Amino acid sequence: MKKIGVVITCLCFSSTVFSQLKSPKQEQKFTTTNKKITVYTTAEKSNLKLTATHNLVFSASKQPLETETSIFVEPAKKFQNFIGIGGAITDASAEVFAKLSKEKQTEFLNAYYDKQKGIGYSLLRTTIQSSDFSSESYSYIKEGDKDLKTFSIDHDRQFRIPLIKQAIQTAGGKLTTYVAPWSPNAFMKSNNDVLRGGTLLPEYYQTWANFYAKFIKAYEKEGIPIWGTSTQNEPMAVQTWESCIYTAEAERDFIKNYLGPTLKKENLGNKKIIIWDHNRDLMNQRANVIYSDPEAAKYIWGMGFHWYETWSGGLPMFHNVRKVHEAYPGKGLLFTEGCVERFDDTKYQFWPNAERYGTAMINDFNNGTNGWTDWNILLDQNGGPNHVGNFCFAPIHADTATGELIYTPSYYYIGHFSKFIRLNAVRISSAVSRSSLLSTSFLNADGTIATIVMNQTDNEISYNLIIASQKTQVKIPAHAIQTLVY
């Protein structure tokens, strides 16, 4: 496969994670005085890939006309805190990584986690036990061991833990890491199978809560700090792979009576609990049921969500994210998984895949999301490995036959956010006068602003960036994304 080179220019920002939801106070009011604007562009049918394309300045702005396209940014209007952008280190990603040469491994790690050479990922998701993106199903205990006496993470020491440690090191020593289970063991479930749904049997609620605590402690003993855990990956999906069903009431009661108290008892009460971890379609109902119970809600950091609600033939339901945020502004929102399904190696450079990422990230952030996590960071030339055959795309693939890395446009689109929005940032008001463009803006802790602009049309568009009485004029190519840093 043809290698697509990485052309990235460096910007460095603070790397401290804010887990609080309240916007931090900024010491100084933002001003455009003496501000230079650097524009980074990725565009279809060009060699532009996170390439610095413009160096601009602000000038006086008059009343914009209806015939102009304008983006209006108001730094004084602050919203949610930003906790990071990243991807999942699955067994599949780790197994493929292990097949790369040392040179390619270093290139790969830098591409994702180095803030200077790469796109500066700051979030990491990984699995508790196996998922579909493992070569096979496996467990950390022997079947039937309700006391967890045989618990061991030795399986993960071969591939997954070494990759996670290298990612943390490349990221400067810190990645906000959270975990999620795909299924309890078969003996704990109503269908006696880790696959094809089923529910957690009530007599094993405490055993399963203890399992989370053992996993977190085992990973932290390995030097991998765990920020939080979700209750269950996709709790309303009966899948052919590892899956387990929780109604909203069942998840509420499991957290309230078992998971929350157990983590607290095990001195893990600071770990964030994330509910739902499924699509945007039913997230409002899940929030209403669980957050209305104060004894459950007190243990919960916030809600995770995915983007696969389009399986029904409808459009992405971004408005549901906003409605949850409006109803429960004190709770966090985290995009926990998304990937382009149905792998096809003729579509590595298929631009709509990247635009799906850009559209989702802008809308999710504008609707109150604190962080955004892609699915597998790396897959092979078959879209796997995957033990049930549901092969997918990743932003970077490795052709294990040639040893080459294949960078898809999605990698660069994600990078327009992850490289320039830094930890401690806060989202600020950003609005577009015409539907031909999408935009979001963040104020970084160092006083710089990153404004992301996306053009999905077939035409080049000229637009104004206006802050108070100052503006600059920019051109964005057709099917392109830009980040303006100023």
Side-chain angles (χ1 to χ4, degrees), residues 1-4 96-97 100 104 107-108 112 133 339-340 342-345 347-349 353 357 376-385 391-400 402-411:
M1 299 297 176
K2 184 180 179 182
K3 177 186 172 185
I4 307 299
V96 175
F97 177 82
L100 296 173
K104 288 298 178 181
E107 177 189 330
F108 174 81
Y112 271 124
F133 278 92
C339 74
V340 177
R342 294 177 290 280
F343 177 75
D344 177 352
D345 65 5
K347 291 188 173 181
Y348 278 132
Q349 304 307 318
N353 289 351
Y357 276 91
N376 303 277
I377 60 170
L378 178 68
L379 293 172
D380 65 17
Q381 68 273 22
N382 301 309
F391 302 113
C392 299
F393 282 95
I396 301 177
H397 286 259
D399 186 327
T400 58
T402 66
E404 291 299 312
L405 294 174
I406 303 155
Y407 295 82
T408 74
S410 299
Y411 167 81

